[in-house]
Amino acid sequence: MWYDETGLPWIKPSPNMLTLTTAEIYPMTCLLEGTNVSEGRGTLRPFEFIVAPWIDGEALSAQLNSYGLVGLEAKTGELVPGEMVDGIKIYPPKYLGETCYGAELQVSDRINFQSAKAAVYMLHALYTLYPEELEWRESRMDGLWKTASIRENIVAGKSPEEIIASWEEELEYFREVREQYLMY
C-alpha cells in the first residue's frame, strides 16, 4: 500500500518531506545534493524541481522527456528558494532568494517509476546540457551513490543505458539472495 491508501494523516518525517509526493520523487532528486543544482529546498515543494539560475527550463524539460522515462513527466518550472518552509527555518538552500529555472517533475505512475534509474538520466541530462556550469560535489555525490562510478561514467560520456546495465548483474544477484528472506 501507498501511505495515502492507509487513511492515516501524513506526518512530516523531516522539515523537507512535506508530502507523499515529495517522498515519491526524493530518491531521484536528493542526488542533486551532490551538485550545485537545487532540488527545490526552501519551497513548499522540495525535491519536485531541478533548478538553478543558469538552467533553461524548456531545454532541460525537453531533454528529460526525450528519455521516455516511465512514470515521470517534466515541465518547465521556476522558483525562488527561501529560508522558511511551512513555518520552520531551514538550513539555507542553494540559491537563496534567487530566481531559479529548470524542470518541475511529476510522478505520473508511481508503481512503475524507477527513481535510481531516473536519477542517472537526470544527471546525464544536466551534464549533457550544462557541462561547464554543472559542478560535482564529488564526496557528497559519490557518498550518496556509494560509488564514484556513476559520476565518472557520466563525465566519460557513457549513456544512461550503459551505466544502468553496469549494475544489472549485481542487482540480479541481490534479488536472488533477497528471495530467501521475503515473507510474502
Side-chain angles (χ1 to χ4, degrees):
M1 293 178 86
W2 285 86
Y3 196 83
D4 58 353
E5 296 169 334
T6 67
L8 297 170
W10 178 260
I11 298 172
K12 299 181 300 187
S14 161
N16 285 300
M17 190 69 63
L18 302 172
T19 67
L20 179 59
T21 302
T22 304
E24 290 171 354
I25 198 116
Y26 173 83
M28 173 188 173
T29 54
C30 76
L31 293 159
L32 293 173
E33 294 173 2
T35 72
N36 64 331
V37 177
S38 172
E39 62 282 356
R41 285 182 190 263
T43 72
L44 289 173
R45 296 187 48 218
F47 302 101
E48 296 178 41
F49 289 84
I50 303 170
V51 295
W54 39 266
I55 289 178
D56 176 333
E58 288 184 28
L60 179 58
S61 297
Q63 182 71 32
L64 289 168
N65 289 329
S66 76
Y67 295 131
L69 298 172
V70 174
L72 185 70
E73 297 173 8
K75 65 180 185 177
T76 303
E78 170 182 327
L79 56 80
V80 178
E83 63 182 17
M84 295 290 287
V85 175
D86 201 27
I88 299 171
K89 186 171 182 169
I90 62 165
Y91 183 80
K94 297 172 194 165
Y95 307 112
L96 177 64
E98 294 183 53
T99 301
C100 295
Y101 309 94
E104 177 183 345
L105 305 176
Q106 294 178 330
V107 175
S108 58
D109 179 354
R110 63 187 182 187
I111 301 297
N112 295 301
F113 173 63
Q114 296 183 31
S115 58
K117 290 180 180 180
V120 174
Y121 284 94
M122 171 188 69
L123 295 169
H124 180 267
L126 288 166
Y127 188 74
T128 298
L129 294 171
Y130 308 104
E132 299 301 316
E133 295 87 351
L134 179 66
E135 295 174 8
W136 299 101
R137 295 174 176 165
E138 292 181 12
S139 63
R140 182 69 175 142
M141 177 63 66
D142 300 349
L144 288 166
W145 281 109
K146 302 299 182 215
T147 180
S149 68
I150 306 298
R151 177 183 49 78
E152 290 170 348
N153 285 325
I154 288 170
V155 172
K158 295 211 172 174
S159 71
E161 296 82 6
E162 290 175 292
I163 296 168
I164 292 165
S166 73
W167 72 49
E168 287 300 328
E169 187 175 318
E170 287 182 60
L171 184 57
E172 186 53 38
Y173 173 74
F174 168 78
R175 286 182 182 129
E176 290 173 13
V177 170
R178 177 190 74 156
E179 189 66 32
Q180 64 186 316
Y181 300 102
L182 295 177
M183 297 177 72
Y184 42 89

